[in-house]
């Protein structure tokens, strides 16, 4: 951090906020999250740096956007402050302005650039009919061969092999909860991103996951960690 | 929300409507036994609309302030969600706890507009609570209604156990506490409780305690309480001193975008104007102001607790506030620095000034709206809308000076005494506004003006001087709309109008008596919902429902009601006397205006209710 006396409007101090977005907050879109944080910053009373102009608001840059239906314990938001305040104080203030399901984990000075994000690790948990060891093995095997899927992009629908973006994938059956659990690291960032929902879709389409009853069958996705382009834990 | 519903939430539009978990919500611990009554506060429309209602924000806070009451929220699920809920037998639940409404002690509905009645019934069905009061058992929730539509609660009489008439801050708390006491005694009997409550709680109307008979011509023959200890008329409740009235210092903060996603600061209650078509202007009498000091304190506190960067000064006609100058100056002292904008939902033409415009950001940025309501001075005198053409021209002049080019004008058609000239006056006034643009030397150069006229259909409402008036038929209103359209010749004028069919049904529901319950029940059985939304409102289906249940909608909408008839809403006393309405009705037909309450008291009777910082004479 800059020396206290040197932080000012002209020379604001960058701050990284690591937060979680879990439970009911998985249903809130990235756009709504941005709007929410504008108010969170105000009610926390952090001396955030504001953009000028007709509609001034705190300058915020988010890391990897999270899609609706996906939870995370590793979201990142960068802001700048115009007055000295300790990281602990910032964290404490944010805590009072947030809830258990959208909560601050850590506040620190950014070590890496948000544009250097290259991969993300997810846990996918399935409560699906017929979950067993055998099904888990089949699921793992599915991604060992190319899996062609349609991806909607700017230039229309194109066919891609999603396994090209899967860096690792492990799958097991948990007899205690009767669930299938996938631990996977996939490409994420500016160059290419694999939405983990694609993995869910592949399992639905090819192995019949979640196809019987919407009330008893469900899945959840948790973003566990983010890595930079060199595969180091993001800081 | 329960994990087992997660797949459903992932499959509907805007799941944030149903997930809850907002900052500022109230969660109470049920395990220590301190909560003695659970109250589900329902808004019978979407989350986005319901979360924007100031009344809900206030009452939610007022109830939760009590240690022994836990108030939660519920909204009408949108059609996609409703379908899933029915398909999977998922009951309607409150957002905070996720518990089904059927296990609450009290389920309250705020009734903001008539077209939401089918949503009320739909929500009861989804909650698996019997539609009719008479069919509910002792352990099922008490269903209470409130809000502006409860001033004529009769069309909903069979469905609600009781109604809170008037302002609910104190009344709902008293009612809930009484329920707690009575339940604690054991052997709780709901009908006995309702009877007891009707004698104890002022402003509580229990429809099942009244008997109505009808004459051969269909009008009401008699209307009165079954028991001698039940009040013959129920007088509305008001908060006498608005500075001392409870005002929430926090807000449940929606994650998804809502209609009023900002601080709403209630500057005063009531209205000094007496527009003769306006129900709100009558039922919220008398005017009671808050002081700028209190308002400023409340605004600052809300800003710090919510993080909203916009404050809307919300009252019926904000520029009538006696201390508007002091209030805006006081607010701007800190809002400017914090980059907080002030906005206004409504502005009267005659008080629209350059100074006010400069202070109010929302006026600065968006297009301007004025409501002359009628096309000629004659008809404006009839409805007591004291806006003169000069006032309008001066106001749009201010706007054009400031570089504005778009103006929206609100009108009504089908008003009492309306003639073809009055209708022609609507496009003419719009063209005159266009002309005002071109003769303005300060107008934005190189741009052309855009004037939109929006014409609503007049709906005669209970507790207005026009409560007895005949509403034009759908055909008449449609012809009038067409006539206005043909006479819009100015290319700079755009014309839009409301659907006369919706206004017709709205009128039937607004002036209905308890015989309408069977039509509403039938509508609920046929799955009606979201009738306030064009995409779901189906006029032909309503006609079928009325036919099937033997209701003649014209009896309620298109009939000139007799002045000595017993009105379905006579059982409610809103403070303003029937004699006043009658006098005002005659003055309307005499084209005589009535001064505002600040100029001169017209003796409406509302002063008997009391009130601080009002303009009423002492009763
Ligand atoms: S009593 Fe007089 S001043 Fe008060 S609301 Fe009625 S008319 Fe207005």
């Amino acid at each position: 951090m800059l020396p206290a006396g040197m932080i000012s409007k002209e020379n604001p101090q960058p701050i990284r906020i690591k937060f979680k977005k879990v439970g009911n907050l998985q249903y809130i879109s990235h756009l709504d999250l941005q709007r929410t944080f504008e108010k969170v910053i105000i009610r926390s009373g952090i001396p955030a740096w504001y953009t000028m102009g007709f509609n001034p608001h705190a300058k915020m840059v988010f890391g990897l956007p999270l899609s609706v239906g996906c939870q995370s314990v590793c979201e990142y938001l960068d802001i700048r402050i115009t007055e000295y305040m300790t990281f602990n104080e910032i964290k404490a203030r944010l805590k009072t302005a947030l809830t258990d399901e959208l909560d601050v984990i850590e506040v620190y000075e950014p070590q890496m650039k948000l544009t250097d994000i290259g991969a993300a690790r997810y846990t996918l948990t399935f409560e699906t009919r017929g979950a067993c060891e055998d099904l888990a093995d089949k699921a793992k095997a599915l991604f060992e061969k190319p899996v062609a899927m349609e991806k909607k992009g700017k230039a229309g629908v194109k066919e891609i092999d999603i396994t090209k973006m899967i860096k690792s994938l492990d799958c097991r059956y948990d007899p205690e909860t009767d669930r299938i659990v996938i631990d996977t690291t996939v490409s994420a960032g500016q160059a290419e991103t694999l939405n983990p929902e694609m993995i869910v879709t592949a399992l639905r389409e090819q192995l019949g996951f979640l196809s019987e009853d919407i009330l008893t069958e469900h899945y959840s996705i948790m973003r566990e960690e983010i890595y930079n382009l060199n595969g180091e834990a993001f800081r | 929300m329960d994990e087992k519903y997660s797949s459903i939430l992932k499959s509907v539009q805007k799941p944030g409507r149903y997930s809850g978990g907002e900052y500022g919500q109230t969660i109470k611990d049920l395990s220590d036994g301190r909560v003695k009554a659970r109250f589900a506060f329902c808004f019978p429309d979407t989350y986005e609309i319901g979360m924007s209602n100031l009344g809900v924000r206030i009452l939610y806070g007022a109830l939760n302030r009590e240690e022994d009451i836990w108030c939660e929220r519920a909204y009408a699920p949108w059609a996609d969600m409703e379908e899933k809920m029915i398909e999977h037998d998922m009951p309607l639940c409150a957002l905070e706890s996720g518990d089904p409404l059927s296990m609450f002690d009290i389920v309250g509905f705020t009734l903001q507009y008539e077209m939401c009645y089918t949503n009320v019934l739909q929500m009861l069905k989804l909650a698996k609570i019997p539609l009719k009061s008479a069919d509910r058992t002792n352990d099922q929730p008490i269903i209470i209604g409130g809000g502006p539509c409860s001033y004529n609660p009769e069309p909903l009489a069979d469905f609600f156990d009781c109604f809170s008439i008037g302002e609910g801050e104190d009344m709902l708390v008293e009612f809930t506490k009484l329920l707690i006491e009575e339940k604690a005694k054991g052997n709780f009997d709901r009908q006995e409780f309702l009877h007891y409550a009707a004698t104890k709680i002022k402003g509580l109307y229990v429809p099942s305690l009244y008997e109505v008979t009808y004459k051969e011509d269909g009008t009401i023959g008699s209307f009165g309480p079954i028991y001698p200890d039940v009040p013959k008329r129920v007088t509305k409740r008001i908060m006498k001193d608005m500075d001392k009235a409870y005002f929430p210092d926090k807000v449940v903060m929606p994650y998804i975008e809502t209609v009023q996603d900002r601080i709403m600061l209630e500057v005063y209650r009531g209205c000094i104007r007496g527009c003769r078509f306006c129900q709100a202007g009558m039922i919220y009498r008398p005017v009671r102001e808050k002081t700028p000091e209190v308002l400023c304190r409340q605004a600052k506190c809300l800003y710090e607790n919510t993080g909203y960067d916009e404050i809307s000064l919300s009252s019926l006609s904000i520029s009538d506030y006696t201390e508007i100058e002091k209030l805006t100056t006081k607010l701007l002292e800190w809002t400017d620095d914090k980059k907080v904008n002030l906005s206004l939902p409504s502005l009267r033409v005659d008080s629209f000034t350059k100074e006010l415009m400069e202070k109010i950001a929302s006026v600065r940025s968006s297009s301007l709206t004025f409501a002359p309501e009628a096309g000629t001075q004659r008809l404006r005198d009839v409805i007591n809308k004291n806006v003169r053409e000069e006032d309008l021209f001066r106001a749009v002049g201010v706007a054009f000076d400031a570089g504005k080019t778009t103006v929206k004008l609100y009108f009504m058609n089908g008003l009492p005494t309306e003639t073809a000239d009055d209708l022609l006056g609507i496009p003419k006034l719009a063209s005159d506004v266009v002309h005002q643009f071109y003769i303005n030397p300060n107008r934005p150069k190189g741009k052309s003006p855009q004037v939109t006229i929006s014409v609503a259909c007049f709906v005669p409402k209970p507790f207005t001087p026009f409560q007895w008036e005949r509403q034009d038929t759908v055909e008449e209103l449609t012809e009038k709309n067409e006539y206005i359209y043909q006479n819009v010749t100015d290319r700079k004028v755009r014309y839009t109008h409301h659907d006369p069919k919706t206004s017709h049904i709205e009128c039937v529901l607004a002036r209905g008596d308890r015989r309408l319950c069977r039509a509403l029940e039938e509508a609920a059985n046929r799955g009606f919902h979201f009738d306030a939304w064009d995409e779901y409102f189906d006029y032909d289906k309503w006609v079928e429902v009325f036919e099937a249940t033997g209701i003649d909608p014209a009896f309620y909408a298109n009939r000139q009601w007799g002045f000595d008839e017993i009105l379905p809403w006579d059982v409610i006393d809103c403070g303003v006397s029937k004699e006043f309405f009658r006098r005002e009705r005659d003055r309307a037909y005499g084209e005589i205006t009535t001064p505002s309450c600040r100029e001169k008291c017209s003796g409406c009777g509302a002063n008997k209710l009391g009130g601080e910082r009002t303009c009423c004479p002492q009763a």
Side-chain angles (χ1 to χ4, degrees):
Chain A
M1 177 124 60
L2 286 165
M6 286 179 70
I7 301 175
S8 67
K9 279 201 172 74
E10 293 67 39
N11 201 20
Q13 165 69 43
I15 295 288
R16 180 157 292 163
I17 299 163
K18 182 179 183 187
F19 64 96
K20 66 175 180 185
K21 182 172 177 286
V22 298
N24 286 311
L25 264 290
Q26 67 184 293
Y27 304 110
I28 303 307
S29 71
H30 187 64
L31 192 71
D32 288 332
L33 184 75
Q34 287 176 314
R35 293 183 330 101
T36 297
F37 262 103
E38 280 175 17
K39 295 177 211 108
V40 168
I41 299 292
I42 296 178
R43 65 181 179 246
S44 66
I46 296 171
W49 185 77
Y50 273 65
T51 60
M52 293 301 138
F54 183 69
N55 186 13
H57 57 271
K59 174 84 179 159
M60 302 187 294
V61 185
F62 284 85
L64 210 52
L66 193 65
S67 52
V68 171
C70 194
Q71 308 179 59
S72 172
V73 288
C74 56
E75 293 304 285
Y76 297 94
L77 164 63
D78 284 4
I79 61 165
R80 283 179 260 179
I81 53 171
T82 58
E83 277 166 46
Y84 176 78
M85 187 177 273
T86 65
F87 294 129
N88 274 341
E89 170 80 13
I90 296 173
K91 183 177 170 187
R93 283 174 176 249
L94 283 169
K95 251 195 169 341
T96 63
L98 290 162
T99 64
D100 292 349
E101 294 175 317
L102 180 67
D103 202 5
V104 54
I105 296 171
E106 212 182 335
V107 176
Y108 56 88
E109 188 163 7
Q111 309 292 307
M112 298 173 182
K113 286 192 290 203
L114 289 172
T115 48
D116 284 345
I117 291 176
R121 181 162 64 81
Y122 295 93
T123 307
L124 286 67
T125 312
F126 297 89
E127 198 157 320
T128 181
R129 288 279 165 86
C132 62
E133 221 135 304
D134 190 39
L135 190 62
D137 290 344
K138 275 191 193 148
K140 183 166 167 54
L142 177 67
F143 297 101
E144 279 159 2
K145 300 183 301 281
V147 177
M149 291 189 67
E150 284 184 347
K151 188 178 174 174
K152 282 189 214 105
K154 283 188 196 96
V157 183
K158 64 174 181 184
E159 186 125 305
I160 53 158
D161 171 13
I162 62 166
T163 60
K164 287 222 170 78
M165 288 187 279
I166 298 177
K167 296 178 192 290
S168 73
L169 186 144
D170 193 45
C171 186
R172 63 190 170 84
Y173 170 68
D174 178 11
E176 233 157 78
T177 57
D178 191 29
R179 288 172 181 194
I180 287 181
V181 183
I182 290 179
D183 190 338
T184 181
T185 300
V186 301
S187 301
Q190 292 194 328
E192 54 173 17
T193 291
L194 179 68
N195 185 337
E197 288 283 351
M198 298 282 269
I199 294 176
V200 179
T201 308
L203 290 167
R204 252 189 227 279
E205 287 173 357
Q206 312 223 6
L207 296 179
F209 272 49
L210 309 163
S211 58
E212 288 186 35
D213 178 22
I214 193 167
L215 274 190
T216 56
E217 294 187 307
H218 41 84
Y219 68 100
S220 64
I221 304 176
M222 179 68 79
R223 185 186 275 170
E224 308 278 0
E225 182 139 42
I226 285 183
Y227 306 96
N228 72 0
L229 291 163
N230 299 327
E232 297 158 337
F234 190 73
R235 282 293 293 168
Chain B
M1 185 54 66
D2 203 328
E3 195 187 28
K4 76 178 196 227
Y5 299 131
S6 75
S7 296
I8 290 176
L9 282 190
K10 284 174 188 174
S11 69
V12 296
Q13 289 173 44
K14 302 198 192 170
R17 285 168 165 169
Y18 315 108
S19 55
E22 302 96 333
Y23 176 81
Q25 68 173 355
T26 300
I27 299 286
K28 294 195 181 183
D29 184 359
L30 290 172
S31 64
D32 60 12
R34 273 189 296 183
V35 171
K36 302 259 181 343
R38 297 183 67 183
F39 196 119
F41 205 108
C42 303
F43 193 99
D45 210 315
T46 62
Y47 175 88
E48 293 91 315
I49 296 176
M51 282 292 282
S52 304
N53 185 274
L54 179 59
V56 178
R57 289 186 190 176
I58 294 174
L59 295 172
Y60 181 81
L63 286 162
N64 277 323
R65 194 166 54 142
E66 304 298 321
E67 199 188 24
D68 48 358
I69 304 171
W70 184 14
C71 177
E72 305 182 39
R73 296 158 298 141
Y75 302 93
W78 191 245
D80 59 343
M81 183 63 170
E82 185 191 328
E83 200 179 298
K84 302 261 177 208
M85 290 171 73
I86 293 171
E87 186 184 337
H88 301 291
D89 202 29
M90 227 176 117
L92 184 63
C93 295
L95 283 179
E96 281 79 356
S97 62
D99 288 335
L101 297 193
S102 54
M103 60 184 271
F104 280 69
D105 298 288
I106 302 176
V107 173
F109 284 91
T110 174
L111 305 165
Q112 298 288 324
Y113 26 88
E114 292 82 3
M115 300 311 282
C116 75
Y117 290 175
T118 50
N119 276 9
V120 171
L121 301 186
Q122 192 61 12
M123 286 175 79
L124 285 176
K125 270 171 70 182
L126 286 172
K128 300 178 191 293
I129 295 170
L131 284 189
K132 291 189 156 173
S133 169
D135 297 337
R136 289 181 203 127
T137 57
N138 286 336
D139 53 359
Q140 281 171 324
I142 301 279
I143 312 296
I144 186 166
C149 290
S150 61
Y151 283 85
N152 178 22
E154 287 300 286
L156 297 169
D158 290 357
F159 312 115
F160 279 80
D161 297 310
C162 52
F163 291 92
S164 147
I165 308 299
E167 298 166 7
E169 288 98 324
D170 288 347
M171 197 264 181
L172 286 180
V173 173
E174 289 166 25
F175 178 74
T176 310
K177 299 253 178 187
L178 190 71
L179 181 70
I180 293 172
E181 269 174 40
E182 291 306 303
K183 280 197 169 172
K185 289 182 185 160
N187 287 329
F188 178 78
D189 179 276
R190 61 188 297 128
Q191 205 50 38
E192 265 171 35
F193 166 72
L194 289 167
H195 182 174
Y196 181 58
T199 64
K200 287 289 267 190
I201 309 274
K202 294 206 166 57
L204 189 77
Y205 172 58
V206 179
S208 60
L209 300 177
Y210 296 77
E211 196 172 37
V212 189
T213 64
Y214 302 93
K215 293 186 191 162
E216 223 155 89
D217 64 2
T219 59
I220 295 174
S222 67
F223 193 133
I226 301 171
Y227 305 105
D229 56 349
V230 173
K232 286 198 180 62
R233 292 185 78 201
V234 176
T235 306
K236 82 163 180 212
R237 294 282 293 264
I238 65 162
M239 301 306 291
K240 292 200 164 69
D241 187 342
M242 287 307 296
D243 266 0
K244 297 198 184 114
Y246 169 76
F247 194 73
D249 56 8
K250 61 177 189 178
V251 175
V252 183
M253 298 295 291
Y255 293 110
I256 66 171
E257 206 159 351
T258 58
V259 183
Q260 296 281 348
D261 218 351
R262 54 187 65 85
I263 291 170
M264 281 184 284
L265 197 62
E266 189 184 24
V267 178
Y268 67 93
R269 279 195 190 154
C271 181
I272 60 166
R273 312 276 157 181
C275 297
R276 290 175 181 138
F277 56 84
C278 178
Q279 189 190 43
M282 299 294 167
I283 59 177
Y284 297 134
R285 283 182 180 212
V287 162
R288 284 146 293 148
E289 296 192 338
K290 289 190 191 179
T291 54
E293 291 72 26
V294 167
L295 285 165
C296 217
R297 198 171 62 232
Q298 291 175 340
K300 186 108 191 255
C301 173
L302 277 173
Y303 165 75
E304 281 160 5
N305 292 345
T306 63
Y308 275 131
D309 60 2
E310 184 179 341
I311 299 173
S312 171
L313 306 179
S314 64
S315 282
L316 283 172
S317 170
I318 189 67
S319 41
D320 286 335
Y321 178 51
T322 49
E323 307 210 64
I324 185 74
E325 181 60 43
K326 187 166 170 202
L327 175 67
T328 46
T329 307
K330 235 174 134 49
L331 283 172
L332 285 172
E333 273 166 22
W334 63 272
T335 54
D336 242 13
D337 187 45
K338 301 272 189 204
K339 304 168 187 77
V340 173
N341 289 325
L342 299 186
S343 68
L344 295 176
S346 64
L347 207 50
R348 281 185 61 87
V349 165
D350 47 1
S351 55
F352 183 74
T353 60
K354 191 161 160 280
E355 291 71 42
L356 204 52
M357 176 152 133
E358 278 165 357
K359 285 181 178 169
I360 304 297
S362 69
V363 181
R364 224 158 41 206
S365 61
S366 63
S367 87
L368 288 167
T369 305
F370 299 110
E373 304 292 2
T376 59
Q377 193 57 47
R378 186 202 71 81
L379 192 53
R380 284 196 292 276
D381 287 347
V382 168
I383 62 175
N384 205 38
K385 182 86 192 182
N386 292 336
V387 166
R388 310 200 72 83
E389 218 167 70
E390 310 82 273
D391 302 324
L392 177 64
F393 294 161
R394 192 191 45 76
V396 296
V398 172
F400 294 149
D401 281 348
K404 302 252 171 210
T405 55
T406 57
V407 171
K408 197 165 181 185
L409 303 176
Y410 283 116
F411 294 96
M412 268 188 284
N413 71 356
L415 286 164
T417 79
E418 183 180 72
T419 65
D421 271 352
D422 298 316
L423 294 175
L424 283 182
I426 294 174
K428 175 160 183 311
L429 196 57
S431 293
D432 291 346
V433 169
V434 172
H435 180 67
Q436 290 295 315
F437 180 87
Y438 286 112
I439 61 168
N440 187 327
N442 306 323
R443 70 174 183 271
K445 298 281 142 38
K447 288 191 186 160
S448 63
Q450 173 71 251
V451 178
T452 303
I453 48 187
S454 169
V455 180
C457 305
F458 167 65
V459 179
K461 290 273 167 103
F463 297 112
T464 65
F466 292 154
Q467 61 183 355
W468 298 277
E469 297 304 303
R470 165 185 183 277
Q471 189 189 37
D472 280 346
T473 61
V474 170
E475 293 70 33
E476 287 165 328
L477 289 166
T478 308
E479 275 170 27
K480 287 180 175 181
N481 279 337
E482 186 57 26
Y483 184 68
I484 299 170
Y485 176 67
Q486 281 166 5
N487 285 286
V488 177
T489 47
D490 196 320
R491 290 204 352 269
K492 303 279 185 282
V493 176
R494 249 176 36 115
Y495 168 62
T496 62
H497 64 80
H498 286 202
D499 178 12
K501 291 174 173 170
T502 308
S503 308
H504 175 66
I505 303 298
E506 186 186 327
C507 185
V508 174
L509 297 178
R511 289 202 292 194
D513 53 46
R514 44 178 80 181
R515 288 171 295 187
L516 271 179
C517 293
R518 54 176 198 262
L520 281 167
E521 191 184 4
E522 181 62 22
N525 289 338
R526 295 184 186 199
F528 283 29
H529 58 184
F530 290 107
D531 282 290
W533 295 72
D534 285 347
E535 56 257 66
Y536 289 104
F537 176 75
D538 187 334
Y539 180 67
D540 296 340
K541 288 197 176 148
W542 275 99
V543 172
E544 283 168 26
V545 161
F546 289 135
E547 268 167 21
T549 51
I551 298 285
D552 174 17
F555 175 82
Y556 298 99
N558 312 121
R559 178 172 70 92
Q560 176 66 46
W561 293 44
F563 295 119
D564 41 18
E565 241 179 77
I566 297 175
L567 305 172
W569 52 93
D570 277 349
V571 65
I572 305 298
D573 177 4
C574 79
V576 181
S577 69
K578 207 169 177 180
E579 294 70 41
F580 173 79
F581 291 135
R582 183 62 217 277
R583 273 203 312 276
E584 279 295 290
R585 194 263 177 197
D586 290 345
R587 286 170 79 96
Y589 276 76
E591 299 172 13
I592 308 166
T593 59
T594 294
S596 78
C597 291
R598 195 153 292 136
E599 292 162 86
K600 182 174 172 287
C601 169
S602 302
C604 78
N607 58 334
K608 75 173 183 198
L609 300 168
E612 295 294 319
R613 287 174 304 286
T614 170
C615 39
C616 299
Q618 284 232 311

